[in-house]
Amino acid sequence: MGPVLTARETPPAKPPARPGGRRAVPWAVVALWAAVIALALPFAGQLADAQRDNVVDYLPASADSTQVARIEQALPGGESTELVVVYHRDGGLTAADRSHAQEQIDLITGAHAFDGPPPQGIPSEDGTTLMYPMSTTEPGTDNDARIALVDDVRERLDAAPVEGLDAALGGPGALMTDMEKVFETIDGTLMLATVLVVAVLLILTYRSPFLWLVPLTVVGAAAVASQALVYGLIQGFDLTVTSQSAAVMTVLVFGAGTDYALLLVARYREELRRIERPYDAMLAALRGCGPAVLASSGTVAAGLLCLLAADLNSASGLGPVGAVGVVCALAAMLTLLPAVLVLLGRRVFWPLVPAYGSEPKQRRSVFAAMGSSAGRRPAAVLVSGVLLLGALALGAFNLPGNLAQEDSFTQQPESVAAMKVLTEAYPGQGTQPITVVTPTGRAAEALAEAQGTEGVASARAGRSGGGWTEITVFAKDAPETAGESATIKALRAGLEGSHVGGPSAQQMDLADTNARDQKIVIPLVLAAVLLILMVLLRSIVAPLMLTAAVVAVWGAVMGLGGLLFEPVFGFEGLDPSMPLLSFVFLVALGVDYGIFLMHRMREEALAGAEPAAAALTALRTTGGVIASAGIVLAATFTVLMNLPLVPLFEMGFLVAVGVLLDTFLVRTYLVTSASLLLGRRVWWPGRLSRRP
C-alpha cells in the first residue's frame, strides 16, 4: 500500500488526456461479468440440491464405520433406517397406555415395510417407558423418502393423543432427518443475515448513501460465481459438498470480498486526491494495494487447500470449496469493483467526495495513539500481550469432550428429546444399534462371536447381499459411553474380516480421524503460510513473527472456548473437527491482516524510513482499514452463531473472536512492538536488514 498524501505534498500536474479507448475498458469488464452472472445463475441455483449430507459425507474416508455405511447402501433395499418409538408417562404406564401404543405400532408397521418380525415393546424397569426399536430399508439412500417416512410416523403418533402419555420418535434415522431439516433452512437464512450484516457495516464505514451498494453488489456477484463453480466441480469431479461447507463458503465470500473492497476503496480514495482522472487513480490504487491483496488471498486459499490432506470427508471437501469462494471474491474485487467505481466517478463518494488536489482532514488517529503507546515501551507492551494470550490459552484445559450427535442442536428437536428419555429410563442399557457387516461365508460364526463378546446384550443376523451379511448388535451400556466404546473396540478386535459401524462407532472414528488430520494438516498450513510470507516480504524473521502471532491467537480463542462453551453456553461438547478447522481459518485469515501491515511497513522501509518510523507509519495508515476489515469479517462469522447447530455456533464464535483479537491486539500492539524491538532485524536476511 503506497504512501498517504500529507499536508506537505501537492498534487502532480494534470496528466495528459488518455485515449478514448480507455473509457471502454471498464464497460467491457462490466459486460463480461454480466455475461458470467447470466450463465452462472442457473447452476448456482442447483447447488443446494447437489449438497450431500449423508452419514458417509461427514465420515473419515478410510474408517471402519464408513465401510459399514457404504456396504449397507449396497445391500438389498439399500441403507437401513433405524427408528425408535418411545412412549412415556411420568407416573408409570397404564394398561390402556400399552394397548394404545400397540395399536399405533400396528398402524405404523402396516403402512410401511419394516424389517424382521413385528416390533415388540421393551418396557423400562421403572415402568414409565416403553420403546419399540424398528428398522426399515424402505427409503434406502433417498433422503426425501426418509424424511417422508419420519414425518408420516410422527403424524400417526400425534393423530390420537392420550392425556399424560408422551409419544415421540427417536433413533438415528429420526436424528438425521431433524439434522437435514435444519440444513434446509440454513442457505436462505445465512445469505439474508450475511447481506444485512455487511450492508449495515458498510454504511457505517463509508457514511455514504450510495457507496456501500457497490461492494455489496460486487460481492453478491462473486457469491453467485462461486456457487456455480462449485456446482461444476461437483458434476465434473464428484466433489463432496456438505451444507456446512456451503455455509462456510458463503461467509468467506462475503467476509473476504468485503475486506478486499475496503482496502481497495480506501486506497482509491487516496489516489483520487492526487490524480485527476478516476481511471488513472484506480490504476495507481491497484498497483499500490494489489500485491498485498493477491498475497493475502493466496495465503487463505493455500491454507484451505491443505485440508485436502484430511481423511475426514467433510473437511477435505471444505478445502477446495472455501478456496473457490476466496478466489472468486478476489477476482470480482480486482476487476468488477474497479470497473464500476471508475464508471461512477467521484460522485459515488458523496457527500464526502475526495476532490482532486484536496487534502484529507487532519485528525488524531486512534491507531497513531496506539502506535505511540507501543513505541514508548515496546518491551512492556509485548510481554503484557504475550502473557494475556498465554493466560487465555490455559482455558483450553477446560474444553468439553467430543460433541455427541444428539447434542449438536442449540434447540432440542423431537428425536433428541426421545433419546434423552431413553437414556434416563434405561440406564446402563444400549438403546442404539451397533451395526456389524461380515462376509456371508462366516456369518453364523461371526454372529456367535458377537453374542459372546463382553458388553454385548443381544445380536441378530440381518440382510445379506453382495457377499456381506448385516448383524445388529445392542450393547449393555448406554450409547456413547465408555462401556459402549469398549464393546465396539472388542467387536472390532474379535470379529476377523468384519467391519463395525453405527452412530456410536462413527463418533469414535470421527474423533480418531480428527486427531490424525491435525498432525498432518496443521504442519502443511504452517509451511504454506510461511513460504508465501517469505516470498512476499523477502524475509525469514517477519514471517516467523506473524505466524507465531496467529498461532498464539488460536491458542487464546481455544482457551476462551473452554471457559465459555460449557459453563456459559451450556454446550455438552466440542465438535471433533473444530480445533483443526478453527486453526486453518484463524492462521490463514489472521496472516491476511499481517500481510497488509507488514507490506506497508516494507514499502516505507524501501522509501528510506527508519525501522521505527516505518512501523508506526504503517500502523497509522493501515490501522483504520484493517480494523474495518476485521470487524466486517468477524461480523460475517458471527452470523453462523445464529444458526441452530452447535458446530456452526462454535466455529462462528472461535473465528470471530480470533479475528477481533488479531485485529485489535496482535496487529496493533504485538506485531508493532515486536517490529520496533527487532528494528532492521525483522527483515533478515533481506537487504532491508542491512544499514544503507
Side-chain angles (χ1 to χ4, degrees):
M1 301 183 65
V4 181
L5 183 66
T6 66
R8 295 188 299 273
E9 294 173 331
T10 56
K14 181 176 178 179
R18 295 285 182 180
R22 291 289 184 92
R23 182 71 176 173
V25 173
W27 283 112
V29 172
V30 172
L32 177 62
W33 269 96
V36 168
I37 298 305
L39 291 172
L41 270 174
F43 301 106
Q46 298 180 59
L47 178 60
D49 296 331
Q51 294 168 18
R52 292 186 280 181
D53 293 303
N54 292 321
V55 171
V56 294
D57 299 319
Y58 286 89
L59 290 177
S62 61
D64 212 34
S65 58
T66 310
Q67 306 309 314
V68 173
R70 288 174 177 160
I71 292 171
E72 276 193 309
Q73 291 178 354
L75 289 175
E79 189 175 304
S80 179
T81 299
E82 307 287 344
L83 302 173
V84 182
V85 178
V86 182
Y87 293 94
H88 175 81
R89 184 185 288 274
D90 287 336
L93 294 170
T94 65
D97 292 337
R98 295 186 181 90
S99 175
H100 173 74
Q102 190 59 55
E103 289 176 4
Q104 285 194 321
I105 294 298
D106 291 341
L107 288 173
I108 292 170
T109 55
H112 299 282
F114 286 94
D115 303 333
Q120 299 297 314
I122 303 174
S124 62
E125 290 186 2
D126 62 5
T128 63
T129 309
L130 189 64
M131 71 168 174
Y132 288 85
M134 298 185 292
S135 177
T136 178
T137 58
E138 182 180 296
T141 57
D142 188 335
N143 291 336
D144 292 336
R146 183 174 26 42
I147 292 173
L149 168 68
V150 170
D151 288 343
D152 181 72
V153 172
R154 284 175 171 166
E155 287 176 7
R156 293 177 185 275
L157 292 176
D158 295 337
V162 175
E163 186 177 355
L165 178 66
D166 296 324
L169 183 65
L175 186 67
M176 182 59 67
T177 297
D178 289 336
M179 186 80 73
E180 288 175 358
K181 287 186 175 181
V182 170
F183 282 134
E184 287 177 357
T185 65
I186 281 180
D187 288 341
T189 303
L190 182 66
M191 181 67 76
L192 179 61
T194 306
V195 169
L196 289 175
V197 166
V198 171
V200 169
L201 291 174
L202 286 175
I203 291 171
L204 294 175
T205 300
Y206 289 139
R207 292 173 292 169
S208 167
F210 308 113
L211 181 57
W212 65 276
L213 283 168
V214 179
L216 188 61
T217 303
V218 172
V219 80
V224 171
S226 63
Q227 289 170 351
L229 190 53
V230 168
Y231 179 76
L233 291 176
I234 294 173
Q235 300 302 313
F237 300 95
D238 196 30
L239 180 69
T240 297
V241 178
T242 65
S243 296
Q244 177 177 317
S245 300
V248 172
M249 183 185 72
T250 299
V251 170
L252 273 176
V253 171
F254 276 85
T258 306
D259 278 4
Y260 303 150
L262 288 169
L263 290 162
L264 180 63
V265 171
R267 185 58 177 264
Y268 178 52
R269 189 196 295 265
E270 290 180 19
E271 301 298 343
L272 282 172
R273 298 183 187 278
R274 298 193 307 110
I275 301 173
E276 182 181 17
R277 291 181 176 83
Y279 185 96
D280 299 321
M282 181 57 73
L283 286 180
L286 288 171
R287 284 193 295 266
C289 68
V293 171
L294 281 169
S296 64
S297 61
T299 303
V300 177
L304 288 169
L305 288 175
C306 290
L307 285 171
L308 285 169
D311 190 39
L312 191 66
N313 286 333
S314 56
S316 61
L318 175 59
V321 170
V324 165
V326 171
V327 171
C328 286
L330 172 71
M333 293 307 157
L334 292 187
T335 58
L336 181 58
L337 179 63
V340 174
L341 289 174
V342 167
L343 291 175
L344 293 175
R346 298 175 188 272
R347 59 185 178 274
V348 74
F349 289 94
W350 187 87
L352 305 175
V353 178
Y356 171 62
S358 66
E359 298 178 358
K361 185 178 180 181
Q362 299 296 318
R363 56 185 177 185
R364 178 68 170 169
S365 167
V366 65
F367 290 95
M370 290 178 174
S372 299
S373 64
R376 285 192 295 270
R377 303 185 66 182
V381 169
L382 181 61
V383 171
S384 300
V386 170
L387 289 176
L388 174 60
L389 293 177
L392 290 175
L394 293 176
F397 291 105
N398 193 48
L399 280 168
N402 290 329
L403 187 70
Q405 204 171 18
E406 61 264 25
D407 296 325
S408 299
F409 302 87
T410 56
Q411 299 173 356
Q412 182 174 279
E414 180 182 326
S415 58
V416 173
M419 299 307 288
K420 289 189 174 180
V421 169
L422 291 177
T423 301
E424 295 174 1
Y426 300 83
Q429 180 176 340
T431 57
Q432 187 165 266
I434 301 168
T435 303
V436 177
V437 290
T438 190
T440 301
R442 63 181 309 272
E445 181 184 351
L447 177 60
E449 290 175 354
Q451 291 170 336
T453 301
E454 184 178 356
V456 170
S458 64
R460 59 179 173 82
R463 300 170 291 163
S464 294
W468 295 93
T469 295
E470 181 183 65
I471 298 174
T472 301
V473 177
F474 282 91
K476 294 178 180 178
D477 297 283
E480 297 190 42
T481 59
E484 190 200 35
S485 297
T487 302
I488 292 171
K489 291 177 182 177
L491 288 168
R492 285 177 169 173
L495 299 180
E496 183 181 353
S498 302
H499 299 290
V500 180
S504 296
Q506 291 164 6
Q507 293 301 109
M508 290 173 56
D509 290 340
L510 282 173
D512 293 342
T513 303
N514 275 292
R516 172 261 179 200
D517 286 347
Q518 289 176 34
K519 296 176 183 177
I520 294 176
V521 176
I522 286 178
L524 282 176
V525 172
L526 292 175
V529 167
L530 278 171
L531 182 61
I532 292 174
L533 288 176
M534 288 176 184
V535 171
L536 176 71
L537 300 177
R538 309 290 197 275
S539 166
I540 293 177
V541 174
L544 287 173
M545 177 181 69
L546 292 177
T547 305
V550 292
V551 171
V553 168
W554 173 71
V557 296
M558 292 303 295
L560 280 172
L563 297 174
L564 297 176
F565 282 163
E566 190 171 15
V568 177
F569 300 134
F571 298 154
E572 298 294 330
L574 179 73
D575 185 84
S577 65
M578 210 47 58
L580 175 61
L581 294 182
S582 62
F583 180 87
V584 172
F585 283 117
L586 285 176
V587 169
L589 295 171
V591 166
D592 235 16
Y593 300 133
I595 287 174
F596 300 142
L597 180 65
M598 296 300 292
H599 185 264
R600 182 56 180 263
M601 194 184 302
R602 189 172 186 275
E603 271 195 80
E604 297 295 331
L606 286 171
E610 288 298 313
L616 296 177
T617 299
L619 178 61
R620 184 182 70 250
T621 54
T622 66
V625 178
I626 290 177
S628 299
I631 291 172
V632 168
L633 186 61
T636 54
F637 270 92
T638 59
V639 172
L640 293 176
M641 297 170 62
N642 296 311
L643 300 177
L645 291 175
V646 171
L648 291 178
F649 183 103
E650 290 175 342
M651 181 184 293
F653 175 86
L654 292 174
V655 177
V657 173
V659 167
L660 293 176
L661 269 178
D662 192 85
T663 302
F664 292 101
L665 173 63
V666 173
R667 296 294 145 242
T668 304
Y669 286 108
L670 302 193
V671 171
T672 301
S673 59
S675 299
L676 291 172
L677 291 170
L678 289 169
R680 295 186 185 278
R681 291 187 295 275
V682 77
W683 304 113
W684 184 87
R687 65 185 179 90
L688 287 176
S689 64
R690 299 183 290 273
R691 288 190 175 275

